[in-house]
Structures are given as structure tokens and as C-alpha cells.
Amino acid sequence: METVLSGIRSTGHLHLGNYYGALRNFVKMQNDYNCFFFIADLHSLTTHPHPDDFHASVKIILSEYLAAGLDPDKCALFIQSDVPEVSELYVLLNMLAYKGEMERTASFKEKVRLNPENVNTGLLTYPVLMAADILVHRANYVPVGKDQEQHLEITRVLARRFNNMYNCDVFPEPQSFKFGSGPIKVPGLDGNGKMGKSEGNGIYLYDDEKTITKKVMRAVTDSGPTEPNSEKPVVIENLFTLLKLVSEPSTVDYFEEKWNDCSIRYGDLKKQLAEDICKVTLPIREKIDSIYNDEAFLHRVTSEGRDKARASASATLALAKKAVGFRAF
Ligand code: TYM
């Protein structure tokens, strides 16, 4: 059976971008693949979270993962730092990753631009740690959003480089999983690119109806179409992109028609969008708190997940170390 793996940083709450870009696809895959899903707490250290908040952030994301439908009996659900083999493989892969290629990564350049005061080398080698996450389970598929595609390409480069350098085939080259048209980018509500945790433009699975409605009603729009069948400006296209994710095709068609004949009222579009987002998120939100407060359940899930993940990771690490030339005395 082929292996699927994906992860999410333990920062903030899950938003619609995480859900539609990655999580919803994991949930669909867990019946048919050997699945590993984890919370990337080591990756979250690049932004230096306060020690008092660190564990709570992991717990929030874990509870939201479970509420969104990940079934710990069907997949290995674990915390990245519970699997030390990942960090060991990260060291080995770092020797094959070149400074220049890491500096050219779009996510690194973006982080440098946004936070010039905290350009740590963990940020520089962020894609190498991600490659270690993936390769340590010899994953075949990685369901991620469009923003992670370059990291996946780096993972393939490192897998190939390792196999060539040590004349072995320890690592398969992982592919992004194509649902429909392939990896997607869920836009934010501010008209500025993708929905993100740090951008303040997101709708969270944890948001209540009132908050969702308020956020959607405040989304940036323009003064409306002036000619029939005209092209939509980005801010309006973004609202339609969200509508296509959460609403029935007939609803999307209705508003497309209204756009095309210039009779669209953005207030109606937003009201419908907010309602349909609530329909998707409400059943998830209702489960989050009870899962968050069930310490015994979370303990069981993460211990079993850790054991499954460590069994798989240690087998791969042994192969990798043998290929590199490590021998016991
Ligand atoms: P993170 O935590 O930023 O995002 C988790 C997942 O959500 C997807 N995503 C989106 N997809 C579409 N539209 C958006 N607006 C959007 N925002 C986020 C991301 O593509 C991702 O799939 N580095 C990773 C975590 C990670 C990982 C891994 C993922 C660490 N190791 C190994 C896969 C495999 C990250 O920061 O994702």
C-alpha cells in the first residue's frame, strides 16, 4: 500500500486554507493509503513561541485535526518532536542541501522580507526539515496546498541527491497528490494573496457564526461591474473562489449570472458565502472543545501515533545510515 504524509505547523488555529488546501484531502485518503499526519512543532520554533504557549498550540491543532475528521484508528497521527529520527535524518540531509538553493526558496525570501530581525538558520533549512519529515516515512504522496509545492520539489531533489551520492534507492521521490485540478491556493479576504495564519485574513474552523459573518461582510470588494460579461477583478474573483469551495454549483452559477448581467449585489453574495462557510465549519467547531478537554483521548492518540511513526522512521533511518557508511563497533 502506498504511503501518504502531511503536516501542519502548530501555530494559531486551522483556517479554511489549511482545510481545503490539505486537510480535507487527508481525510479522504485515510481509508485507502498508509497515512501519516503530524503536527510540525519543531517547524513552529522558527518564530520563537513563548514556552508557556508552545504545548497549548500543539493541543489546539491536534484537537482541530481530529474534529475535522482525521481518524487515529486509520492513520498515524503524531507530534513531530515525538519522533527524534526526523531530527537525525535532518542532520544527514543538511549535508546535501546547499546554502544558495535554500536562499533562493520563495518562502525563505518572503520570511526575510517580513521579519528581517529574525533570519535564523532554522528558517533557511526549513525545507530540509520538511524533507526529513517526508522522506523518513518514504512517503509517495504529500497532499499540500500550492504554497508548499516548492518545498516538495526540494524534497525530491534531496531524495535524488542522497540516492545518487550513496548509490542506493532508499528514498522514493514524493509527489503532491492531485485531487481534481491539483494543489490549490485558498485566497484571503483582504484581496492580498493566500489565506494565512500570520496574514490576519483568515476564517478559522474555530470561528463562530457571528465572527464568520462579520469577517465575510467586511471582505474587500469594488464598486461593481460596469459592462456585461467583464473579467472579475482579483478581490471579486477571490470571493467566487471561496464560493466554489463551500457552495453548491447552482449557487455559484446564480451569482456568475448576476455578475455577467451586472445585477450582482455584493451584500447578497457575501451573505450566501458566510452561510455556506458556516455550514461547513459548524459540525467541525462543535467537536473541537470536547476533544481539546479529553486529555486521556489525546494522550492515547499521540502515544499510538508516536509508536507507529517511530517504527516506520527508525526502519528508514537505519537504511539511510547504512548507506552513508555508519557501522556499529
Ligand atoms: P502550514 O502549517 O503553513 O499549512 C498546512 C497546510 O495547509 C496548506 N495551506 C493552504 N492551502 C491552500 N491555500 C491556502 N491559503 C493555504 N494555507 C495553508 C499548506 O499548503 C499545507 O499543506 N511547512 C508546512 C508544514 C509541514 C509539512 C511537512 C507539510 C512541515 N513538514 C511535511 C507537508 C509535509 C507548513 O508550514 O504548513
Side-chain angles (χ1 to χ4, degrees), residues 8-9 17-18 126 130 133 144-145 147-148 184 186 195 197:
I8 183 159
R9 255 172 316 140
N18 302 133
Y126 186 107
M130 206 167 137
D133 290 326
V144 282
D147 59 322
Q148 299 293 326
I184 60 164
V186 178
M195 186 176 286
K197 287 180 191 141

Side-chain angles (χ1 to χ4, degrees), residues 120-258:
N120 58 67
T121 53
L123 215 47
L124 184 69
T125 57
Y126 186 107
V128 185
L129 182 54
M130 206 167 137
D133 290 326
I134 298 168
L135 297 178
V136 88
H137 299 292
R138 307 171 89 194
N140 306 99
Y141 296 110
V142 185
V144 282
K146 222 178 174 54
D147 59 322
Q148 299 293 326
E149 278 198 308
Q150 193 180 22
H151 292 163
L152 210 50
E153 182 53 35
I154 294 174
T155 303
R156 286 191 283 271
V157 167
L158 291 175
R160 220 174 297 144
R161 205 171 278 162
F162 186 99
N163 290 344
N164 286 339
M165 179 165 293
Y166 298 114
N167 195 23
C168 62
D169 59 359
V170 174
F171 298 122
E173 289 183 28
Q175 305 302 319
S176 71
F177 199 82
K178 302 254 183 301
F179 272 99
S181 56
I184 60 164
K185 178 179 105 176
V186 178
L189 289 172
D190 54 357
N192 277 328
K194 70 163 187 165
M195 186 176 286
K197 287 180 191 141
S198 16
E199 286 78 350
N201 62 4
I203 294 183
Y204 298 97
L205 300 185
Y206 194 70
D207 284 343
D208 60 22
E209 270 178 77
K210 216 169 131 200
T211 311
I212 291 174
T213 308
K214 212 159 107 192
K215 285 182 176 178
V216 174
M217 295 315 279
R218 275 207 309 247
V220 181
T221 48
D222 65 356
S223 52
T226 48
E227 275 177 41
N229 302 313
S230 55
E231 216 173 281
K232 299 186 192 82
V234 175
V235 283
I236 306 302
E237 192 62 60
N238 286 353
L239 292 181
F240 273 87
T241 302
L242 291 169
L243 199 68
K244 281 179 200 151
L245 290 172
V246 296
S247 303
E248 294 294 331
S250 56
T251 307
V252 179
D253 291 346
Y254 171 81
F255 285 104
E256 289 281 6
E257 264 174 41
K258 294 268 168 204

Side-chain angles (χ1 to χ4, degrees), residues 47-168:
T47 55
H48 306 158
H50 193 282
D52 291 345
D53 304 330
F54 185 66
H55 178 70
S57 303
V58 174
K59 201 173 156 192
I60 287 170
I61 296 286
L62 177 65
S63 311
E64 293 181 350
Y65 247 10
L66 288 160
L70 278 190
D71 181 345
D73 294 325
K74 291 184 182 158
C75 63
L77 183 52
F78 63 99
I79 316 297
Q80 185 185 35
S81 61
D82 277 343
V83 182
E85 290 79 8
V86 169
S87 301
E88 200 172 341
L89 183 60
Y90 169 59
V91 174
L92 300 184
L93 294 176
N94 261 324
M95 310 304 165
L96 307 184
Y98 293 100
K99 178 174 158 275
E101 64 190 342
M102 294 299 115
E103 280 171 341
R104 283 193 296 276
T105 313
S107 58
F108 178 70
K109 288 201 265 187
E110 176 72 357
K111 294 274 155 56
V112 172
R113 193 177 66 75
L114 294 175
N115 299 302
E117 75 295 342
N118 181 25
V119 185
N120 58 67
T121 53
L123 215 47
L124 184 69
T125 57
Y126 186 107
V128 185
L129 182 54
M130 206 167 137
D133 290 326
I134 298 168
L135 297 178
V136 88
H137 299 292
R138 307 171 89 194
N140 306 99
Y141 296 110
V142 185
V144 282
K146 222 178 174 54
D147 59 322
Q148 299 293 326
E149 278 198 308
Q150 193 180 22
H151 292 163
L152 210 50
E153 182 53 35
I154 294 174
T155 303
R156 286 191 283 271
V157 167
L158 291 175
R160 220 174 297 144
R161 205 171 278 162
F162 186 99
N163 290 344
N164 286 339
M165 179 165 293
Y166 298 114
N167 195 23
C168 62

